[in-house]
Amino acid sequence: VAEPWNVNIHYDRTIDGHVPAGVRSVLEVGCGDGFLAARLARRVPEVVALDVDAPVLERAQARFPDAPVRWTHGDALTFEGRFDAVVSNAALHHFPDTRIALRRMRALVAPGGTLVVVGLARPGWRHLPWALTGSLLTAAVGSIRGKWEHSAPIVWPPRDTVAQLRGHVGAELPGATVSLLALGRVLIRWQAPSR
Ligand SMILES: C[S@@+](CC[C@H](N)C(=O)[O-])C[C@H]1O[C@@H](n2cnc3c(N)ncnc32)[C@H](O)[C@@H]1O
């Protein structure tokens, strides 16, 4: 069955591409409908998909009944564990405080592990051309592929501008890279020091 398309699902592939080969455990923060967790479970032995919203988690589990994913109801701010990789797509702006969320995600990464986050941010004046181009591209791809409406809770608009998000990342994830993606999302990558 062909995968449906929306910007979130589009960037699942990007996140997957930044999770190193050979990792043994991955935590997805805010898994929503479950596409990224199911994708990662094809190659990662332990995948924990965490979401604070029980109904969307049930729908994810029902959509991917055979995926070896540990669907877990809980809040990332209190969840405990250590994972070779922590990933998150379109969920960071749901947290009331971005720095606290990034700090929590960082704490869940094992030494030497990887954090990959695709997030949403408001453009501010400076990144308006990027945001406009992203909207046009998204509309164009959506008209070709057809847009699938995800069923997860929505928070809109994102609280942080791109510049603010960069500041939060700089403060909480030393050495992280922040890149602007073509369809109007922001990619954050960070590697934990190996002890
Ligand atoms: C916009 S949805 C994105 C879902 C999915 N990752 C995707 O790409 O379509 C954000 C998800 O984050 C979840 N979320 C928000 N706050 C959370 C928290 N504190 N802990 C765990 N999940 C959270 C929401 O319930 C929602 O399902």
Side-chain angles (χ1 to χ4, degrees), residues 2 46 79 93 114 121 160:
E46 184 196 349
F79 186 76
H93 67 293
T114 305
D160 298 323

Side-chain angles (χ1 to χ4, degrees), residues 97-176:
D97 184 315
T98 307
R99 289 198 185 197
I100 290 174
L102 290 172
R103 208 174 298 157
R104 245 351 277 157
M105 290 188 201
R106 183 185 69 192
L108 292 161
V109 181
T114 305
L115 176 64
V116 188
V117 175
V118 168
L120 280 72
R122 289 184 292 113
W125 288 111
R126 188 158 152 221
H127 295 99
L128 210 49
W130 162 75
L132 291 174
T133 316
S135 300
L136 289 174
L137 271 174
T138 301
V141 180
S143 72
I144 296 165
R145 296 289 310 270
K147 184 187 172 199
W148 184 77
E149 292 293 346
H150 73 75
S151 76
I154 290 173
V155 169
W156 188 262
R159 185 184 41 259
D160 298 323
T161 61
V162 171
Q164 286 167 333
L165 184 55
R166 278 190 195 279
H168 298 326
V169 170
E172 297 299 335
L173 304 172

Side-chain angles (χ1 to χ4, degrees), residues 6-12 15 28-37 50-54 56-57 59 72-79 87-96 101 118 120 148 150-155 185:
N6 62 32
V7 178
N8 297 4
I9 295 170
H10 181 88
Y11 284 125
D12 285 347
I15 293 173
E28 183 184 5
V29 171
C31 67
D33 294 289
F35 287 92
L36 175 57
L50 181 70
D51 205 290
V52 77
D53 185 77
V56 81
L57 202 61
R59 287 191 291 277
T72 305
H73 182 225
D75 187 335
L77 294 177
T78 50
F79 186 76
V87 299
S88 185
N89 191 357
L92 180 60
H93 67 293
H94 281 238
F95 289 81
V118 168
L120 280 72
W148 184 77
H150 73 75
S151 76
I154 290 173
V155 169
R185 300 287 163 93

